[in-house]
Amino acid sequence: MNTVHSIKEVRNEIKKWRKEGLTVGLVTTMGFLHEGHESLIKRASEENDRVVVSIFVNPTQFGPNEDLEAYPRDIKRDETVCEKAGANLIFNPDPSEMYYDDASTTVNVAGLTEGLCGAKRPVHFGGVCLVVSKFFNIVTPDRAYFGEKDAQQLAVIKRMVRDLNFDIEIVGCPIVRESDGLARSSRNIYLSNEERKAALILNKSLNLAKQSLNEGERDANKVKDIIIEKLNSESLAKVDYVEIVDSSNLKPAFNINKPVLVAIAVYIGKTRLIDNFTFKM
Ligand code: PAF
């Protein structure tokens, strides 16, 4: 496995693989890889002849008061994870390799980006779509793999790929959890021991919601109240949002009569964590 830093090196490698008729899978990441990323890389290596992992903390998807500088980085550790999981190439560019100083192109997926995390992080999805479309153009993968923990991101990227005719299959992969239920996230590293315990409230509140839906509750506001009440029982938790939206368009659902995404964002101390599940009728 090789780590390269320039677009030219990636393109040279891809050209060689394409001449051999090999298929290519892409896993885009911001590094500090955990078992969630590992599962994406493993799946990509099962379904493609070669796997590229991009490791790039993308500045354009962070708002002015977000954690761009503090975002954890450990390329050596990431290289070990990638190699073990079956990656063939890591693309680890500097911001100057990815962005021209006078870049003037934006990628905006309207509608789907307006609610949920998009409402709280106004520049986020523009930055994600821009960088992901650049990675798609650089790597030209057959398939690209994204985690369902970032459910809105997955929906937005699927829409972007459809709308812009990228010839790439987008593969959504299940959320990977710690043994006690906390969804894996690079940001879990920010949590103190006490906060780490408190963070279990996200999964616990979602489990209560699941239970009430399985028992037949169809009023989205009642299900949201169940989640909010549980989250409020944890003193270190501060609700950012609790939403139940139609899975197909991410618009708020009121009566639950088709598949919905139940999504939450919660501050545990200063760390913002997200989690979700999809309920299918
Ligand atoms: O999900 C992430 O880690 C990032 O949003 C992504 C897709 C790598 C783009 O920077």
Side-chain angles (χ1 to χ4, degrees):
M1 192 197 67
N2 236 346
T3 300
V4 297
H5 304 282
S6 72
I7 293 168
K8 198 168 166 211
E9 287 167 297
V10 178
R11 288 198 161 134
N12 285 342
E13 203 65 38
I14 301 283
K15 258 184 219 149
K16 279 191 236 155
W17 294 342
R18 292 298 187 196
K19 267 193 192 145
E20 294 173 50
L22 301 176
T23 57
V24 178
L26 171 66
V27 180
T28 57
T29 81
M30 298 208 299
F32 212 70
L33 305 179
H34 50 70
E35 285 175 27
H37 298 112
E38 224 177 292
S39 75
L40 303 181
I41 301 168
K42 281 187 181 149
R43 171 105 180 249
S45 78
E46 281 160 20
E47 296 179 356
N48 302 275
D49 300 315
R50 294 289 180 270
V51 176
V52 179
V53 179
S54 62
I55 297 182
F56 179 62
V57 182
N58 173 36
T60 63
Q61 70 189 72
F62 288 80
N65 298 317
E66 294 182 355
D67 57 343
L68 172 62
E69 296 310 325
Y71 198 86
R73 292 153 167 95
D74 189 345
I75 184 72
K76 284 288 155 239
R77 191 172 142 275
D78 288 347
E79 284 176 330
T80 311
V81 173
C82 286
E83 177 130 49
K84 242 178 75 194
N88 302 95
L89 184 72
I90 293 178
F91 178 36
N92 177 218
D94 276 339
S96 60
E97 179 71 6
M98 289 301 289
Y99 292 114
Y100 294 97
D101 285 340
D102 62 348
S104 46
T105 302
T106 56
V107 183
N108 174 37
V109 175
L112 287 182
T113 56
E114 276 156 24
L116 305 170
C117 289
K120 305 287 173 172
R121 305 182 69 193
V123 302
H124 180 67
F125 287 111
V128 169
C129 289
L130 181 60
V131 83
V132 169
S133 54
K134 285 164 79 73
F135 284 130
F136 285 174
N137 282 328
I138 294 163
V139 178
T140 61
D142 298 279
R143 295 176 197 84
Y145 295 78
F146 293 88
E148 287 170 357
K149 184 167 85 67
D150 296 301
Q152 187 176 17
Q153 171 171 280
L154 177 58
V156 167
I157 287 169
K158 280 185 175 163
R159 181 68 61 88
M160 176 184 84
V161 161
R162 186 200 73 177
D163 289 355
L164 296 181
N165 306 96
F166 282 107
D167 190 12
I168 298 170
E169 182 190 341
I170 301 302
V171 184
C173 302
I175 297 177
V176 177
R177 296 181 182 278
E178 310 256 3
S179 56
D180 59 8
L182 180 66
R184 302 245 178 208
S185 163
S186 303
R187 289 189 168 98
N188 290 349
I189 189 85
Y190 296 148
L191 301 169
S192 67
N193 287 341
E194 201 192 351
E195 288 170 343
R196 171 68 185 72
K197 280 188 206 133
L200 294 178
I201 203 71
L202 278 86
N203 188 40
K204 283 183 187 161
S205 70
L206 289 181
N207 283 340
L208 282 183
K210 235 179 254 176
Q211 191 185 326
S212 100
L213 286 162
N214 285 334
E215 286 167 3
E217 181 59 65
R218 291 294 173 263
D219 181 336
N221 282 329
K222 286 199 179 141
V223 180
K224 274 163 60 170
D225 286 346
I226 291 170
I227 299 173
I228 292 167
E229 194 184 331
K230 185 70 181 170
L231 290 171
N232 285 342
S233 72
E234 170 51 66
S235 61
L236 294 179
K238 192 170 151 276
V239 174
D240 189 29
Y241 68 72
V242 171
E243 297 288 352
I244 301 184
V245 295
D246 183 328
S247 292
S248 67
N249 57 21
L250 306 189
K251 293 212 168 107
F254 299 100
N255 279 323
I256 301 172
N257 51 19
K258 47 184 154 166
V260 287
L261 173 71
V262 180
I264 62 177
V266 180
Y267 283 96
I268 302 291
K270 288 192 170 135
T271 306
R272 183 177 180 276
L273 300 176
I274 57 172
D275 204 345
N276 71 76
F277 70 91
T278 295
F279 178 72
K280 294 188 179 133
M281 315 285 303

PDB file of all heavy atoms in Angstrom, residues 28-31 37 54 56-58 61 71 124 127-128 131-132 135 146 150 153 157, ligand 1:
ATOM      1  N   THR A  28     -13.887   7.985   1.134  1.00  0.00           N
ATOM      2  CA  THR A  28     -13.405   9.330   1.479  1.00  0.00           C
ATOM      3  C   THR A  28     -13.480   9.481   2.998  1.00  0.00           C
ATOM      4  O   THR A  28     -14.495   9.124   3.612  1.00  0.00           O
ATOM      5  CB  THR A  28     -14.281  10.419   0.826  1.00  0.00           C
ATOM      6  OG1 THR A  28     -15.635  10.223   1.235  1.00  0.00           O
ATOM      7  CG2 THR A  28     -14.190  10.389  -0.682  1.00  0.00           C
ATOM      8  N   THR A  29     -12.417  10.007   3.604  1.00  0.00           N
ATOM      9  CA  THR A  29     -12.412  10.180   5.062  1.00  0.00           C
ATOM     10  C   THR A  29     -11.690  11.478   5.426  1.00  0.00           C
ATOM     11  O   THR A  29     -10.980  12.043   4.607  1.00  0.00           O
ATOM     12  CB  THR A  29     -11.671   9.030   5.786  1.00  0.00           C
ATOM     13  OG1 THR A  29     -10.253   9.278   5.721  1.00  0.00           O
ATOM     14  CG2 THR A  29     -11.971   7.673   5.178  1.00  0.00           C
ATOM     15  N   MET A  30     -11.871  11.858   6.685  1.00  0.00           N
ATOM     16  CA  MET A  30     -11.070  12.967   7.214  1.00  0.00           C
ATOM     17  C   MET A  30     -10.026  12.409   8.185  1.00  0.00           C
ATOM     18  O   MET A  30      -9.476  13.142   9.005  1.00  0.00           O
ATOM     19  CB  MET A  30     -11.968  13.999   7.901  1.00  0.00           C
ATOM     20  CG  MET A  30     -12.960  14.620   6.907  1.00  0.00           C
ATOM     21  SD  MET A  30     -13.462  16.287   7.341  1.00  0.00           S
ATOM     22  CE  MET A  30     -14.214  16.008   8.918  1.00  0.00           C
ATOM     23  N   GLY A  31      -9.756  11.110   8.077  1.00  0.00           N
ATOM     24  CA  GLY A  31      -8.705  10.510   8.894  1.00  0.00           C
ATOM     25  C   GLY A  31      -9.159  10.218  10.310  1.00  0.00           C
ATOM     26  O   GLY A  31     -10.341  10.241  10.623  1.00  0.00           O
ATOM     27  N   HIS A  37     -14.883   3.411   9.702  1.00  0.00           N
ATOM     28  CA  HIS A  37     -14.137   3.563   8.440  1.00  0.00           C
ATOM     29  C   HIS A  37     -13.606   2.205   7.974  1.00  0.00           C
ATOM     30  O   HIS A  37     -13.639   1.890   6.781  1.00  0.00           O
ATOM     31  CB  HIS A  37     -12.939   4.500   8.625  1.00  0.00           C
ATOM     32  CG  HIS A  37     -13.288   5.894   9.012  1.00  0.00           C
ATOM     33  ND1 HIS A  37     -12.998   6.428  10.234  1.00  0.00           N
ATOM     34  CD2 HIS A  37     -13.912   6.882   8.309  1.00  0.00           C
ATOM     35  CE1 HIS A  37     -13.420   7.684  10.287  1.00  0.00           C
ATOM     36  NE2 HIS A  37     -13.977   7.982   9.137  1.00  0.00           N
ATOM     37  N   SER A  54      -9.164   8.324   0.721  1.00  0.00           N
ATOM     38  CA  SER A  54      -8.673   9.707   0.829  1.00  0.00           C
ATOM     39  C   SER A  54      -8.703  10.102   2.302  1.00  0.00           C
ATOM     40  O   SER A  54      -9.658   9.786   3.028  1.00  0.00           O
ATOM     41  CB  SER A  54      -9.519  10.659  -0.018  1.00  0.00           C
ATOM     42  OG  SER A  54     -10.845  10.673   0.444  1.00  0.00           O
ATOM     43  N   PHE A  56      -8.266  13.514   4.339  1.00  0.00           N
ATOM     44  CA  PHE A  56      -8.147  14.964   4.137  1.00  0.00           C
ATOM     45  C   PHE A  56      -9.140  15.672   5.046  1.00  0.00           C
ATOM     46  O   PHE A  56     -10.354  15.465   4.914  1.00  0.00           O
ATOM     47  CB  PHE A  56      -8.444  15.292   2.662  1.00  0.00           C
ATOM     48  CG  PHE A  56      -8.379  16.756   2.335  1.00  0.00           C
ATOM     49  CD1 PHE A  56      -7.190  17.469   2.490  1.00  0.00           C
ATOM     50  CD2 PHE A  56      -9.494  17.429   1.849  1.00  0.00           C
ATOM     51  CE1 PHE A  56      -7.112  18.829   2.188  1.00  0.00           C
ATOM     52  CE2 PHE A  56      -9.438  18.783   1.541  1.00  0.00           C
ATOM     53  CZ  PHE A  56      -8.237  19.482   1.708  1.00  0.00           C
ATOM     54  N   VAL A  57      -8.616  16.450   5.988  1.00  0.00           N
ATOM     55  CA  VAL A  57      -9.501  17.242   6.847  1.00  0.00           C
ATOM     56  C   VAL A  57      -9.883  18.472   6.027  1.00  0.00           C
ATOM     57  O   VAL A  57      -9.078  19.390   5.846  1.00  0.00           O
ATOM     58  CB  VAL A  57      -8.806  17.625   8.180  1.00  0.00           C
ATOM     59  CG1 VAL A  57      -9.777  18.402   9.064  1.00  0.00           C
ATOM     60  CG2 VAL A  57      -8.323  16.373   8.912  1.00  0.00           C
ATOM     61  N   ASN A  58     -11.090  18.422   5.517  1.00  0.00           N
ATOM     62  CA  ASN A  58     -11.517  19.371   4.482  1.00  0.00           C
ATOM     63  C   ASN A  58     -11.944  20.721   5.070  1.00  0.00           C
ATOM     64  O   ASN A  58     -13.023  20.813   5.665  1.00  0.00           O
ATOM     65  CB  ASN A  58     -12.689  18.737   3.708  1.00  0.00           C
ATOM     66  CG  ASN A  58     -13.306  19.704   2.732  1.00  0.00           C
ATOM     67  OD1 ASN A  58     -12.599  20.519   2.130  1.00  0.00           O
ATOM     68  ND2 ASN A  58     -14.620  19.627   2.579  1.00  0.00           N
ATOM     69  N   GLN A  61     -15.661  22.462   4.755  1.00  0.00           N
ATOM     70  CA  GLN A  61     -16.907  21.978   5.361  1.00  0.00           C
ATOM     71  C   GLN A  61     -17.028  22.341   6.842  1.00  0.00           C
ATOM     72  O   GLN A  61     -17.960  21.905   7.517  1.00  0.00           O
ATOM     73  CB  GLN A  61     -17.074  20.471   5.156  1.00  0.00           C
ATOM     74  CG  GLN A  61     -16.114  19.585   5.929  1.00  0.00           C
ATOM     75  CD  GLN A  61     -16.223  18.136   5.485  1.00  0.00           C
ATOM     76  OE1 GLN A  61     -15.803  17.757   4.400  1.00  0.00           O
ATOM     77  NE2 GLN A  61     -16.823  17.290   6.328  1.00  0.00           N
ATOM     78  N   TYR A  71      -9.453  19.172  15.023  1.00  0.00           N
ATOM     79  CA  TYR A  71      -9.881  17.863  14.516  1.00  0.00           C
ATOM     80  C   TYR A  71      -8.706  16.874  14.599  1.00  0.00           C
ATOM     81  O   TYR A  71      -7.598  17.182  14.149  1.00  0.00           O
ATOM     82  CB  TYR A  71     -10.381  17.983  13.072  1.00  0.00           C
ATOM     83  CG  TYR A  71     -11.229  16.791  12.678  1.00  0.00           C
ATOM     84  CD1 TYR A  71     -12.584  16.757  12.960  1.00  0.00           C
ATOM     85  CD2 TYR A  71     -10.647  15.674  12.091  1.00  0.00           C
ATOM     86  CE1 TYR A  71     -13.356  15.645  12.648  1.00  0.00           C
ATOM     87  CE2 TYR A  71     -11.410  14.560  11.773  1.00  0.00           C
ATOM     88  CZ  TYR A  71     -12.765  14.559  12.055  1.00  0.00           C
ATOM     89  OH  TYR A  71     -13.517  13.452  11.760  1.00  0.00           O
ATOM     90  N   HIS A 124     -21.625  23.575   5.820  1.00  0.00           N
ATOM     91  CA  HIS A 124     -21.109  22.204   5.853  1.00  0.00           C
ATOM     92  C   HIS A 124     -21.299  21.425   4.544  1.00  0.00           C
ATOM     93  O   HIS A 124     -20.335  20.931   3.956  1.00  0.00           O
ATOM     94  CB  HIS A 124     -21.766  21.461   7.018  1.00  0.00           C
ATOM     95  CG  HIS A 124     -21.324  20.046   7.151  1.00  0.00           C
ATOM     96  ND1 HIS A 124     -20.035  19.703   7.499  1.00  0.00           N
ATOM     97  CD2 HIS A 124     -21.982  18.872   6.948  1.00  0.00           C
ATOM     98  CE1 HIS A 124     -19.917  18.391   7.526  1.00  0.00           C
ATOM     99  NE2 HIS A 124     -21.077  17.852   7.188  1.00  0.00           N
ATOM    100  N   GLY A 127     -19.353  22.409   1.437  1.00  0.00           N
ATOM    101  CA  GLY A 127     -17.956  21.957   1.509  1.00  0.00           C
ATOM    102  C   GLY A 127     -17.825  20.470   1.246  1.00  0.00           C
ATOM    103  O   GLY A 127     -16.911  20.023   0.529  1.00  0.00           O
ATOM    104  N   VAL A 128     -18.765  19.686   1.796  1.00  0.00           N
ATOM    105  CA  VAL A 128     -18.727  18.228   1.582  1.00  0.00           C
ATOM    106  C   VAL A 128     -18.917  17.919   0.095  1.00  0.00           C
ATOM    107  O   VAL A 128     -18.163  17.144  -0.499  1.00  0.00           O
ATOM    108  CB  VAL A 128     -19.818  17.520   2.433  1.00  0.00           C
ATOM    109  CG1 VAL A 128     -19.966  16.060   2.013  1.00  0.00           C
ATOM    110  CG2 VAL A 128     -19.505  17.612   3.921  1.00  0.00           C
ATOM    111  N   VAL A 131     -15.800  18.922  -2.022  1.00  0.00           N
ATOM    112  CA  VAL A 131     -14.619  18.060  -1.904  1.00  0.00           C
ATOM    113  C   VAL A 131     -14.902  16.653  -2.428  1.00  0.00           C
ATOM    114  O   VAL A 131     -14.056  16.044  -3.081  1.00  0.00           O
ATOM    115  CB  VAL A 131     -14.068  18.053  -0.448  1.00  0.00           C
ATOM    116  CG1 VAL A 131     -14.811  17.068   0.454  1.00  0.00           C
ATOM    117  CG2 VAL A 131     -12.578  17.737  -0.454  1.00  0.00           C
ATOM    118  N   VAL A 132     -16.118  16.157  -2.178  1.00  0.00           N
ATOM    119  CA  VAL A 132     -16.423  14.797  -2.645  1.00  0.00           C
ATOM    120  C   VAL A 132     -16.479  14.774  -4.176  1.00  0.00           C
ATOM    121  O   VAL A 132     -15.969  13.839  -4.811  1.00  0.00           O
ATOM    122  CB  VAL A 132     -17.737  14.271  -2.000  1.00  0.00           C
ATOM    123  CG1 VAL A 132     -18.206  12.990  -2.665  1.00  0.00           C
ATOM    124  CG2 VAL A 132     -17.525  14.027  -0.503  1.00  0.00           C
ATOM    125  N   PHE A 135     -12.931  14.654  -5.320  1.00  0.00           N
ATOM    126  CA  PHE A 135     -12.367  13.297  -5.178  1.00  0.00           C
ATOM    127  C   PHE A 135     -12.917  12.361  -6.261  1.00  0.00           C
ATOM    128  O   PHE A 135     -12.199  11.515  -6.790  1.00  0.00           O
ATOM    129  CB  PHE A 135     -12.649  12.721  -3.785  1.00  0.00           C
ATOM    130  CG  PHE A 135     -11.776  13.298  -2.702  1.00  0.00           C
ATOM    131  CD1 PHE A 135     -12.318  13.784  -1.527  1.00  0.00           C
ATOM    132  CD2 PHE A 135     -10.392  13.359  -2.854  1.00  0.00           C
ATOM    133  CE1 PHE A 135     -11.511  14.322  -0.530  1.00  0.00           C
ATOM    134  CE2 PHE A 135      -9.574  13.900  -1.861  1.00  0.00           C
ATOM    135  CZ  PHE A 135     -10.133  14.378  -0.698  1.00  0.00           C
ATOM    136  N   PHE A 146     -20.004   5.205   1.872  1.00  0.00           N
ATOM    137  CA  PHE A 146     -20.284   6.211   2.898  1.00  0.00           C
ATOM    138  C   PHE A 146     -21.075   5.574   4.032  1.00  0.00           C
ATOM    139  O   PHE A 146     -21.929   4.705   3.794  1.00  0.00           O
ATOM    140  CB  PHE A 146     -21.107   7.370   2.301  1.00  0.00           C
ATOM    141  CG  PHE A 146     -20.334   8.168   1.289  1.00  0.00           C
ATOM    142  CD1 PHE A 146     -20.323   7.783  -0.051  1.00  0.00           C
ATOM    143  CD2 PHE A 146     -19.579   9.270   1.666  1.00  0.00           C
ATOM    144  CE1 PHE A 146     -19.590   8.498  -0.997  1.00  0.00           C
ATOM    145  CE2 PHE A 146     -18.846   9.993   0.733  1.00  0.00           C
ATOM    146  CZ  PHE A 146     -18.845   9.611  -0.594  1.00  0.00           C
ATOM    147  N   ASP A 150     -23.820   9.272   8.991  1.00  0.00           N
ATOM    148  CA  ASP A 150     -24.032  10.592   8.396  1.00  0.00           C
ATOM    149  C   ASP A 150     -25.137  10.447   7.350  1.00  0.00           C
ATOM    150  O   ASP A 150     -24.893  10.537   6.136  1.00  0.00           O
ATOM    151  CB  ASP A 150     -22.730  11.094   7.756  1.00  0.00           C
ATOM    152  CG  ASP A 150     -21.643  11.295   8.803  1.00  0.00           C
ATOM    153  OD1 ASP A 150     -21.851  12.082   9.721  1.00  0.00           O
ATOM    154  OD2 ASP A 150     -20.604  10.623   8.727  1.00  0.00           O
ATOM    155  N   GLN A 153     -25.708  13.297   4.907  1.00  0.00           N
ATOM    156  CA  GLN A 153     -24.593  13.361   3.938  1.00  0.00           C
ATOM    157  C   GLN A 153     -24.781  12.307   2.851  1.00  0.00           C
ATOM    158  O   GLN A 153     -24.613  12.586   1.654  1.00  0.00           O
ATOM    159  CB  GLN A 153     -23.274  13.140   4.678  1.00  0.00           C
ATOM    160  CG  GLN A 153     -22.067  12.962   3.763  1.00  0.00           C
ATOM    161  CD  GLN A 153     -20.758  12.967   4.538  1.00  0.00           C
ATOM    162  OE1 GLN A 153     -20.275  14.031   4.889  1.00  0.00           O
ATOM    163  NE2 GLN A 153     -20.176  11.812   4.781  1.00  0.00           N
ATOM    164  N   ILE A 157     -25.214  13.161  -1.064  1.00  0.00           N
ATOM    165  CA  ILE A 157     -24.248  12.688  -2.069  1.00  0.00           C
ATOM    166  C   ILE A 157     -24.939  11.840  -3.142  1.00  0.00           C
ATOM    167  O   ILE A 157     -24.647  11.976  -4.330  1.00  0.00           O
ATOM    168  CB  ILE A 157     -23.079  11.951  -1.386  1.00  0.00           C
ATOM    169  CG1 ILE A 157     -22.216  13.014  -0.702  1.00  0.00           C
ATOM    170  CG2 ILE A 157     -22.243  11.139  -2.381  1.00  0.00           C
ATOM    171  CD1 ILE A 157     -21.174  12.518   0.215  1.00  0.00           C
TER     172      ILE A 157
HETATM  173  O1  PAF B   1     -17.788  12.046   6.291  1.00  0.00           O
HETATM  174  C1  PAF B   1     -16.685  12.614   6.253  1.00  0.00           C
HETATM  175  O2  PAF B   1     -15.729  12.218   6.923  1.00  0.00           O
HETATM  176  C2  PAF B   1     -16.516  13.835   5.363  1.00  0.00           C
HETATM  177  O3  PAF B   1     -17.649  14.629   5.361  1.00  0.00           O
HETATM  178  C3  PAF B   1     -16.094  13.474   3.923  1.00  0.00           C
HETATM  179  C4  PAF B   1     -17.180  12.706   3.193  1.00  0.00           C
HETATM  180  C5  PAF B   1     -14.812  12.667   3.952  1.00  0.00           C
HETATM  181  C6  PAF B   1     -15.826  14.760   3.124  1.00  0.00           C
HETATM  182  O4  PAF B   1     -14.792  15.498   3.667  1.00  0.00           O
END
